Amino acid sequence: MKNLILTVIAVCSLNTIQAQDISYKKWVKEAPRLEDSFFTTPKAKEVAETVLLYQQPTGGWPKNINFFQTPDNKEKALEIKNDVNASTIDNGATTTEIIYLSRLYNATHDETYKEAAIRGLDYLFEAQYENGGWPQFYPRPKGYYVQITYNDNAMINVMNLLRDVSNGKSPFTYLPESTRQKAQKAIDKGVECILKTQVKQHGKLTVWCAQHDRETFAPAKARAYELPSLSGAESANIAIYLMQLPNPSAEVIQSIESAVQWFKDSEIKGIKIESFINKDGKKDRRVAPCEDCKPMWARFYELETNRPFFCDRDGIKRYHLSEIGYERRNGYSWLNRSGENVYKEYAQWQKRKAEFNLQMQQNSD
């Protein structure tokens, strides 16, 4: 009876997700949160059929697909499936599907799901550059999509998944030792790439751009409003990832300390983002003064001056949110509190580092 109740709850939960919001964002957000009991239901297999339908010949998946919904037009779905230039790690694509299929395999032991998940992992291994970076899209041949991409945590999402693979963590307990070793090798190369792309400002290590040139490692432009810069959003999760590495090297430690110092130096105090109704009767956003509010960080900082800036689709820097158009003002996260998570992780990391240093000293005595 208990299992029956859990199954009903799982199915009802998914149906609620579909009814409330049919966007792909629900897929990448909710799929990892599904209860284990859901994967024993017929609905789990139904979702998997859609996931398998869209898996591309590369082994990867396209982005912005809501796999909770069966496609109305299968011909269109097959057209998307066969467009290999659409294979990507952007917006949680590919990593979310690998995790889902792995969980379903563990629940059902159906080799179809296992094989598809392994093909997805092979795609991630193949897409990695020799220098350790991952492009946003692979094998798309040109455009900003080929640059090393931290934007929206694309590369860090991959490295988090591979860390679980390497450690044999659920749901990847079924993978052989050879795959775990391959994942660790990819992680090591990825960390080297992170260290090489950390930007120096007047000779001092700071943080990272949202994307970097795949050959020179220099900060690179993406969309018109995403100029070469220091990123207060993407850099947070990069720094946190480095702090979670076991036995960090001296280079990693220096990278972490430099990044944390940059976050301290780059705090924006005394402001908040508030919603209001503008003169056209539309919901809008603006920067407003506030007292005793937590610091914020900008999405973009100038490479030379470290000054926060905003940008519209015309590609022109502006220094006040009100100076860019309504669409970009409200359609992008320009200010955030990502540094808070960096500080929290750093406090824990300092404790781990002290313990590690003590152990190293004891071993040398």
Side-chain angles (χ1 to χ4, degrees):
M1 177 62 71
K2 181 179 179 181
N3 289 338
L4 176 60
I5 292 172
L6 288 173
T7 299
V8 170
I9 291 172
V11 174
C12 289
S13 175
L14 184 56
N15 287 335
T16 299
I17 290 169
Q18 288 180 293
Q20 290 178 345
D21 191 337
I22 61 172
S23 74
Y24 73 90
K25 292 182 180 179
K26 278 294 182 182
W27 164 252
V28 297
K29 181 179 179 181
E30 301 295 344
R33 299 179 181 178
L34 290 167
E35 297 291 337
D36 289 342
S37 57
F38 169 77
F39 291 91
T40 64
T41 67
K43 187 65 181 178
K45 294 184 178 181
E46 180 183 321
V47 172
E49 288 305 307
T50 304
V51 173
L52 295 174
L53 174 64
Y54 279 98
Q55 188 173 25
Q56 302 192 300
T58 61
W61 278 267
K63 68 175 181 177
N64 301 354
I65 305 293
N66 180 12
F67 295 105
F68 286 147
Q69 286 197 312
T70 302
D72 295 328
N73 188 333
K74 286 203 172 183
E75 289 186 5
K76 179 64 175 177
L78 290 173
E79 182 181 327
I80 295 172
K81 172 191 180 74
N82 291 314
D83 179 9
V84 296
N85 283 338
S87 297
T88 184
I89 58 172
D90 192 28
N91 289 359
T94 300
T95 51
T96 304
E97 289 76 63
I98 291 172
I99 293 169
Y100 183 89
L101 291 171
S102 295
R103 294 185 69 187
L104 187 55
Y105 169 71
N106 289 336
T108 65
H109 301 292
D110 186 326
E111 292 289 318
T112 302
Y113 308 132
K114 174 183 175 179
E115 291 169 3
I118 290 174
R119 285 182 58 218
L121 284 171
D122 287 341
Y123 167 79
L124 296 181
F125 293 137
E126 183 179 338
Q128 186 179 28
Y129 292 137
E130 187 57 36
N131 63 25
W134 271 272
Q136 188 181 79
F137 285 77
Y138 176 83
R140 187 174 290 200
K142 59 183 180 179
Y144 69 83
Y145 315 100
V146 306
Q147 307 296 16
I148 296 166
T149 303
Y150 300 124
N151 193 39
D152 291 335
N153 303 311
M155 181 164 153
I156 294 301
N157 283 342
V158 172
M159 293 183 69
N160 280 328
L161 181 147
L162 293 181
R163 179 177 57 195
D164 289 346
V165 171
S166 174
N167 292 334
K169 184 178 177 181
S170 180
F172 303 114
T173 52
Y174 66 89
L175 292 169
E177 180 63 23
S178 59
T179 303
R180 292 177 60 180
Q181 292 178 2
K182 196 171 184 179
Q184 186 58 54
K185 183 178 179 181
I187 290 170
D188 292 342
K189 289 169 62 178
V191 170
E192 285 300 312
C193 178
I194 288 173
L195 296 178
K196 289 176 181 176
T197 51
Q198 190 169 13
V199 179
K200 282 188 175 181
Q201 194 175 72
H202 308 299
K204 181 180 178 181
L205 281 174
T206 57
V207 286
W208 295 266
C209 185
Q211 49 280 316
H212 288 256
D213 188 279
R214 60 177 172 172
E215 296 179 355
T216 67
F217 298 116
K221 180 179 180 294
R223 289 172 287 191
Y225 50 90
E226 294 171 331
L227 305 179
S229 60
L230 299 178
S231 171
E234 280 73 18
S235 295
N237 281 331
I238 297 172
I240 289 170
Y241 183 89
L242 292 178
M243 283 187 265
Q244 293 171 347
L245 290 173
N247 305 327
S249 65
E251 292 81 5
V252 169
I253 291 173
Q254 181 186 26
S255 174
I256 292 167
E257 296 286 7
S258 299
V260 172
Q261 186 60 53
W262 180 88
F263 273 95
K264 292 178 180 178
D265 294 340
S266 303
E267 291 181 357
I268 304 172
K269 299 179 179 179
I271 65 166
K272 64 180 180 179
I273 294 290
E274 67 176 16
S275 298
F276 72 104
I277 303 300
N278 64 23
K279 61 182 181 180
D280 298 321
K282 296 180 179 180
K283 188 175 180 180
D284 209 336
R285 292 194 298 176
R286 63 189 172 196
V287 175
C290 64
E291 295 182 3
D292 300 324
C293 51
K294 295 180 180 179
M296 301 191 79
W297 288 265
R299 184 69 175 260
F300 301 133
Y301 290 77
E302 289 184 332
L303 291 170
E304 291 299 320
T305 68
N306 211 51
R307 183 181 182 183
F309 71 88
F310 308 92
C311 195
D312 215 324
R313 292 187 184 274
D314 57 9
I316 299 173
K317 287 183 187 178
R318 292 178 173 84
Y319 300 99
H320 300 281
L321 184 63
S322 59
E323 294 177 342
I324 64 174
Y326 177 86
E327 184 266 336
R328 279 299 81 195
R329 188 167 63 247
N330 291 276
Y332 204 66
S333 177
W334 292 105
L335 292 161
N336 59 79
R337 290 202 164 93
S338 58
E340 290 183 20
N341 294 328
V342 173
Y343 294 162
K344 289 177 184 177
E345 188 68 32
Y346 183 65
Q348 296 301 314
W349 180 74
Q350 285 182 305
K351 294 178 183 178
R352 294 195 299 271
K353 188 177 72 167
E355 293 171 358
F356 175 71
N357 289 339
L358 178 61
Q359 184 179 1
M360 289 290 289
Q361 183 178 354
Q362 291 173 342
N363 291 339
S364 63
D365 290 342

